[in-house]
Amino acid sequence: LWNDNRLATLSIHCASNYPHLKANSTYDIGLRDNCNDDEYLEILEDSVNRALSDVQPNFVLYDAGVDVYIHDKLGRLKVTEDGIRKRDRFVLEKCVGLEIPVAAVVGGGYDKDVDALARRHAIVHEEAAFVWRKFRRKLSPNE
């Protein structure tokens, strides 16, 4: 699919993280180690807006990785659970607001406390439910 111009990818990742040789994406955004919520969200919003504007996709597959979490064993970024929640809500609201179908999957995240890891993975589902309720009310205000 790499040579198929119908596919575009956006990767926002820690530049110094494993693997050092990364697969190429249409939009490769390498972040510095210890990138915090504010910096991460600013870069994410700019990158998502640019990619959606440039590509005008018919569908978005969103990999909601939680290895960005501040205490992740491998992630090297410093994004809080609140930052993850804001990220997921932004991506989902942006797509739905532009009437772009979006499917989200969980990914990344390394923690010996599997309950805490599962809670972080659940954030994208919680935000999807929030966005669905929000936009459903806008589309059918009498319900």
Side-chain angles (χ1 to χ4, degrees):
L1 291 173
W2 175 245
N3 293 322
D4 188 334
N5 63 3
R6 296 175 299 161
L7 175 70
T9 55
L10 167 61
S11 176
I12 302 174
H13 53 271
C14 183
S16 68
N17 208 349
Y18 177 85
H20 295 289
L21 295 175
K22 295 172 179 50
N24 290 327
S25 297
T26 311
Y27 300 88
D28 271 310
I29 312 299
L31 304 173
R32 66 173 184 83
D33 284 20
N34 301 313
C35 180
N36 65 21
D37 284 3
D38 292 337
E39 183 179 359
Y40 178 81
L41 291 169
E42 180 180 342
I43 292 168
L44 173 108
E45 289 175 15
D46 289 345
S47 301
V48 168
N49 285 331
R50 181 172 45 123
L52 291 176
S53 176
D54 290 353
V55 175
Q56 299 183 4
N58 295 316
F59 175 78
V60 169
L61 178 59
Y62 171 47
D63 182 350
V66 297
D67 51 348
V68 298
Y69 179 60
I70 190 169
H71 298 298
D72 189 89
K73 300 299 181 203
L74 301 175
R76 302 179 82 145
L77 300 179
K78 300 295 181 203
V79 178
T80 65
E81 287 186 8
D82 186 55
I84 292 170
R85 185 171 300 282
K86 288 176 180 175
R87 174 200 67 184
D88 292 349
R89 184 173 295 180
F90 173 79
V91 171
L92 295 168
E93 280 186 334
K94 188 69 175 179
C95 291
V96 173
L98 293 172
E99 299 182 357
I100 302 168
V102 57
V105 297
V106 298
Y110 307 92
D111 195 325
K112 289 182 180 179
D113 183 344
V114 294
D115 292 329
L117 179 60
R119 282 191 300 275
R120 287 192 293 279
H121 280 304
I123 292 171
V124 71
H125 303 291
E126 294 164 359
E127 292 307 311
F130 174 87
V131 170
W132 182 83
R133 287 189 303 271
K134 175 182 174 180
F135 281 88
R136 182 170 179 242
R137 280 194 290 272
K138 285 183 178 182
L139 296 173
S140 53
N142 295 327
E143 289 184 25

